Amino acid sequence: MSTNRLMFGFHAITSRVRQNPASVKEIFLDSSRRDPRARDLALLAENSGIKLISCDSSRLAGMAQGVRHQGVAASIDPTRSHIDVEDVLDTLAEPALLLVLDGIQDPHNLGACLRVSDAFGVHAVIAPKDRAVGLTATVFKVASGAADAVPYISVTNLARTLRGLKQRGISIVGATADVDSDLNTVELDGPIAWVLGAEGKGMRRLTRETCDRLVSIPMLGSVESLNVSVSAGICLFETRRQRSKG
């Protein structure tokens, strides 16, 4: 029985082909797309020896079952899965928007974070390999397809990865409740990686110290904290809102 999964979206599929072409079995591309992104992916698939299937949008919609597919799908062998953050960044045509999750161990929270990441056009979700839940069956179910649309990258050393992002000009912004600077007072322009920690514990000390800025979410009620996926959605929405104004 086949164990292949479907992946959707240009960023996720292009990154997978560049990093691990052996894991990509087939690519399904909307026959009506003639834009540069479609042409580039078709050429990449040809050069990588991957079968490219031209199909109509109704077939893609049936495959996606409500997931935003952007006119492209790929059949992926998950047992040969690996995506690198550098390769994701190399495929971008706009300033990077990344979500870094430090110590999220609840699969429902990770699945929800992947959903909001897909909703707000996050280019990749980054998390440590240790002390993190990873992509489990529950995560895939809660994410409702977003786990296949947004690249999820597990890294061995999170602080080192963040320093590498800085070297590529990406601003590291941590969300935490115990600082005065909040979303109403910060400019969120240029490439950004948002960093959020687990509920209760928050970011680990070294992760926090690696951030360029720390920002809080203004709260008017009696609760002291929000679910991490809610916090992620607020931070990502504000980033996109500021970018659209710019």
Side-chain angles (χ1 to χ4, degrees):
M1 184 175 64
S2 174
T3 59
N4 290 351
R5 297 187 61 87
L6 288 174
M7 172 180 284
F8 304 97
F10 278 94
H11 285 308
I13 293 173
T14 299
S15 298
R16 177 63 67 99
V17 173
R18 289 185 183 276
Q19 182 64 30
N20 191 359
S23 70
V24 184
K25 302 308 175 185
E26 297 172 322
I27 295 177
F28 303 85
L29 187 62
D30 190 333
S31 57
S32 67
R33 293 202 59 148
R34 298 288 190 272
D35 54 282
R37 295 178 79 188
R39 292 197 299 269
D40 289 347
L41 181 57
L43 180 60
L44 181 61
E46 179 182 355
N47 292 339
S48 303
I50 298 170
K51 183 178 181 181
L52 185 69
I53 300 173
S54 180
C55 60
D56 57 34
S57 58
S58 61
R59 182 179 180 185
L60 282 168
M63 295 167 66
Q65 297 183 346
V67 176
R68 185 167 58 95
H69 56 75
Q70 298 180 324
V72 64
S75 177
I76 304 297
D77 180 354
T79 65
R80 308 181 70 170
S81 176
H82 178 74
I83 299 175
D84 184 80
V85 64
E86 293 292 328
D87 199 65
V88 170
L89 297 176
D90 289 342
T91 68
L92 300 184
E94 63 175 341
L97 179 57
L98 308 173
L99 178 63
V100 181
L101 300 174
D102 186 21
I104 305 302
Q105 299 184 0
D106 185 330
H108 293 87
N109 285 340
L110 177 56
C113 284
L114 287 167
R115 290 188 70 178
V116 299
S117 295
D118 181 52
F120 294 112
V122 167
H123 300 119
V125 173
I126 301 171
K129 291 181 179 179
D130 297 329
R131 293 183 292 277
V133 61
L135 295 180
T136 67
T138 299
V139 172
F140 278 105
K141 181 178 181 180
V142 174
S144 301
D148 288 320
V150 181
Y152 178 83
I153 303 169
S154 295
V155 298
T156 303
N157 188 313
L158 186 58
R160 182 169 60 205
T161 298
L162 294 177
R163 290 193 293 268
L165 295 178
K166 287 185 179 186
Q167 292 175 356
R168 294 197 56 146
I170 298 173
S171 178
I172 312 300
V173 184
T176 183
D178 58 350
V179 294
D180 293 332
S181 179
D182 65 41
L183 280 176
N184 293 326
T185 63
V186 296
E187 294 184 3
L188 299 170
D189 54 349
I192 287 178
W194 274 104
V195 185
L196 282 80
E199 296 92 336
K201 295 181 180 179
M203 291 177 283
R204 288 175 292 174
R205 179 187 58 81
L206 185 56
T207 303
R208 181 182 174 116
E209 292 175 353
T210 310
C211 293
D212 296 307
R213 290 179 287 171
L214 295 173
V215 177
S216 65
I217 296 173
M219 308 260 292
L220 302 179
S222 59
V223 297
E224 296 181 355
S225 65
L226 299 172
N227 177 276
V228 63
S229 64
V230 174
S231 297
I234 293 170
C235 295
L236 294 171
F237 170 82
E238 178 60 17
T239 305
R240 283 297 182 186
R241 187 191 69 82
Q242 292 193 24
R243 286 189 179 184
S244 66
K245 289 178 62 178

